[in-house]
Amino acid sequence: MTGRVLVLGAGPTGLAAGYRLAQRGVSVHVIERLPWVGGLCKTFQHGPFSLDLGPHRFTPHTAEVYETVRDLCGDDLKVTPERVRFYLFDRFLAYPFRLGEVLAGVGPFKATSLIASWLADRARFSGRAESDMNYEEWLRARFGQGVIDVVFRPLVQKTWGVPLHELHWRLARQRIAVGSLREVMAQIITGKRSKLFQSQFYPYGTFLYPRKGYGTIPERMAEAIVKAGGTITTSAQVEKLIVRDGRVRSVVYRRDGAEETVEGDHVISTLPVSIFADMLSPEKPDADLDAARRAAPALRFRKLILVYLVVNKPQVYPYGVAFFPGKEFRFGRTWEQKNFSPGMVPGNQTVFGAEITCWETDPLWKADDKDIFEMIIPQLERCNLIRRSEVAECFTVRLGYVYPVWDTHFERNLSIVEKYVSRVENLIINGRPGLFFYNNLHHSLEMGFLSADHVLSGKPKAEQWERDALRFREYRLVE
């Protein structure tokens, strides 16, 4: 008998686990801190506008994930053109890059210098194993110092808040979609990206997107859980997990000022790993848990400020997403919601978004919306996107635990936390914040399904879950 399963966190991974279990007739209780389900995959209303928490694309690569979402969304799941731009050399360049645009922007002398830098660094790092490199060295071996200084360094350091040499090489391998400058040049010549970006479920150069917003996917999943007899509790802060005899016996959470305790036979947690160790409450002192509590705070997350501008014109640009590597821009990425699904932003106005990452200690995190607007509007005017007089409204949404910072020590610190968790047989940590991993939505859903399958199997963690979870480390982001 599987018994009752407690799922901590109603992001995509938690909901996927709860959905699979509920569909198999298992009693499920999902507990979520936020007042909504879906985590970052949420669509909210602002006046007449339906807006996502940042730009999202559904890019499934397995039949199981694709068919699940297709069944949940039905005809609302639409094929959407992928229109990506990079703002480099004071102009918007199409991505994949086009030869004529790149040469016009870079110029022949700079292009020659960049290629020479790449050839020199490729020779310098020849024979070096990836595991012996940091993020900057990994980049130099594949792109050269020149390209790093023009593109990667300013974008990466404003995203992660630390120098390149303090980041782990795995972060570069997972998040950088092209493997070398040679591959970039091949894309420029052919106009096509690698097979990583191709799928049997949507045409090349497109992605899938729900007509009414990305939040449709988690909302439909949550509805199915409840319809199957499961329970979802939102606005509930998990405070501790009671551990006895090597198993979690109950979970204590606080909601509306009252403390509640629920018992379960299995627990799947997608709570941020940096705070999770402090929630574990065993019956007696434990050296492994003490070590986990010391290591966990070093697993840091970057916070995200989403800036929304309501603009008095039908469209700012015809793209979905644009990246701004330059250090002169405080934001790293922008998007326009109606270019994902026109009906989400009706009328002659548009809603333009910009992403800013920061630490909780940065003054910007607590800055007024007016101050943030005054900071970014000259930058948007600089590239002729939006004039101050065109903006009808500016507001922000602020999110924590968004980007796990894979510094050069993250694997060691994460393994210390996992060492204790591995001893608690009925406890799984999972998902982007729980495993301190990077993934797209289709990865998150697969992770949830696999954790549910493990619970249903009744097998020991070491026999199934720990084996299945190894594949998560090989995920590559499709962006």
PDB file of all heavy atoms in Angstrom, residues 33 110 195 253 282 295 312 320:
ATOM      1  N   ARG A  33       3.274  27.457   0.057  1.00  0.00           N
ATOM      2  CA  ARG A  33       3.448  28.702   0.803  1.00  0.00           C
ATOM      3  C   ARG A  33       2.733  29.877   0.141  1.00  0.00           C
ATOM      4  O   ARG A  33       2.153  30.726   0.821  1.00  0.00           O
ATOM      5  CB  ARG A  33       4.945  29.014   0.922  1.00  0.00           C
ATOM      6  CG  ARG A  33       5.260  30.352   1.580  1.00  0.00           C
ATOM      7  CD  ARG A  33       6.753  30.598   1.620  1.00  0.00           C
ATOM      8  NE  ARG A  33       7.336  30.653   0.293  1.00  0.00           N
ATOM      9  CZ  ARG A  33       7.403  31.760  -0.449  1.00  0.00           C
ATOM     10  NH1 ARG A  33       6.920  32.897   0.011  1.00  0.00           N
ATOM     11  NH2 ARG A  33       7.961  31.722  -1.654  1.00  0.00           N
ATOM     12  N   LYS A 110      37.147  43.681 -35.954  1.00  0.00           N
ATOM     13  CA  LYS A 110      36.747  43.105 -34.676  1.00  0.00           C
ATOM     14  C   LYS A 110      36.468  41.622 -34.835  1.00  0.00           C
ATOM     15  O   LYS A 110      36.826  40.814 -33.958  1.00  0.00           O
ATOM     16  CB  LYS A 110      35.496  43.818 -34.142  1.00  0.00           C
ATOM     17  CG  LYS A 110      35.036  43.339 -32.770  1.00  0.00           C
ATOM     18  CD  LYS A 110      36.052  43.628 -31.682  1.00  0.00           C
ATOM     19  CE  LYS A 110      35.516  43.270 -30.314  1.00  0.00           C
ATOM     20  NZ  LYS A 110      36.501  43.520 -29.232  1.00  0.00           N
ATOM     21  N   LYS A 195      20.312  20.143 -32.829  1.00  0.00           N
ATOM     22  CA  LYS A 195      19.191  19.232 -32.628  1.00  0.00           C
ATOM     23  C   LYS A 195      18.592  19.345 -31.236  1.00  0.00           C
ATOM     24  O   LYS A 195      17.461  18.897 -31.009  1.00  0.00           O
ATOM     25  CB  LYS A 195      19.643  17.790 -32.878  1.00  0.00           C
ATOM     26  CG  LYS A 195      19.962  17.497 -34.341  1.00  0.00           C
ATOM     27  CD  LYS A 195      20.329  16.029 -34.544  1.00  0.00           C
ATOM     28  CE  LYS A 195      20.607  15.741 -36.009  1.00  0.00           C
ATOM     29  NZ  LYS A 195      20.961  14.315 -36.233  1.00  0.00           N
ATOM     30  N   TYR A 253       2.661  22.814   9.544  1.00  0.00           N
ATOM     31  CA  TYR A 253       2.633  24.053   8.781  1.00  0.00           C
ATOM     32  C   TYR A 253       1.727  25.068   9.463  1.00  0.00           C
ATOM     33  O   TYR A 253       0.896  24.711  10.314  1.00  0.00           O
ATOM     34  CB  TYR A 253       2.196  23.811   7.338  1.00  0.00           C
ATOM     35  CG  TYR A 253       0.771  23.341   7.155  1.00  0.00           C
ATOM     36  CD1 TYR A 253      -0.283  24.246   6.995  1.00  0.00           C
ATOM     37  CD2 TYR A 253       0.464  21.979   7.110  1.00  0.00           C
ATOM     38  CE1 TYR A 253      -1.588  23.817   6.804  1.00  0.00           C
ATOM     39  CE2 TYR A 253      -0.835  21.532   6.916  1.00  0.00           C
ATOM     40  CZ  TYR A 253      -1.857  22.459   6.770  1.00  0.00           C
ATOM     41  OH  TYR A 253      -3.151  22.026   6.596  1.00  0.00           O
ATOM     42  N   PRO A 282      14.513  15.753  13.919  1.00  0.00           N
ATOM     43  CA  PRO A 282      14.632  14.351  14.346  1.00  0.00           C
ATOM     44  C   PRO A 282      14.456  14.226  15.860  1.00  0.00           C
ATOM     45  O   PRO A 282      14.444  15.215  16.592  1.00  0.00           O
ATOM     46  CB  PRO A 282      16.056  13.987  13.922  1.00  0.00           C
ATOM     47  CG  PRO A 282      16.795  15.283  14.012  1.00  0.00           C
ATOM     48  CD  PRO A 282      15.811  16.360  13.629  1.00  0.00           C
ATOM     49  N   ALA A 295      25.843  23.570   5.829  1.00  0.00           N
ATOM     50  CA  ALA A 295      26.137  23.673   4.393  1.00  0.00           C
ATOM     51  C   ALA A 295      25.020  24.353   3.606  1.00  0.00           C
ATOM     52  O   ALA A 295      25.282  25.050   2.625  1.00  0.00           O
ATOM     53  CB  ALA A 295      26.397  22.282   3.819  1.00  0.00           C
ATOM     54  N   ASN A 312       1.334  52.872 -24.080  1.00  0.00           N
ATOM     55  CA  ASN A 312       0.253  53.382 -24.923  1.00  0.00           C
ATOM     56  C   ASN A 312       0.599  53.294 -26.408  1.00  0.00           C
ATOM     57  O   ASN A 312       0.690  54.294 -27.126  1.00  0.00           O
ATOM     58  CB  ASN A 312      -0.068  54.833 -24.552  1.00  0.00           C
ATOM     59  CG  ASN A 312      -0.743  54.945 -23.207  1.00  0.00           C
ATOM     60  OD1 ASN A 312      -1.518  54.065 -22.807  1.00  0.00           O
ATOM     61  ND2 ASN A 312      -0.452  56.015 -22.477  1.00  0.00           N
ATOM     62  N   GLY A 320       9.437  37.921 -29.353  1.00  0.00           N
ATOM     63  CA  GLY A 320       8.950  37.387 -28.088  1.00  0.00           C
ATOM     64  C   GLY A 320       9.864  37.817 -26.957  1.00  0.00           C
ATOM     65  O   GLY A 320       9.447  38.413 -25.965  1.00  0.00           O
TER      66      GLY A 320
END
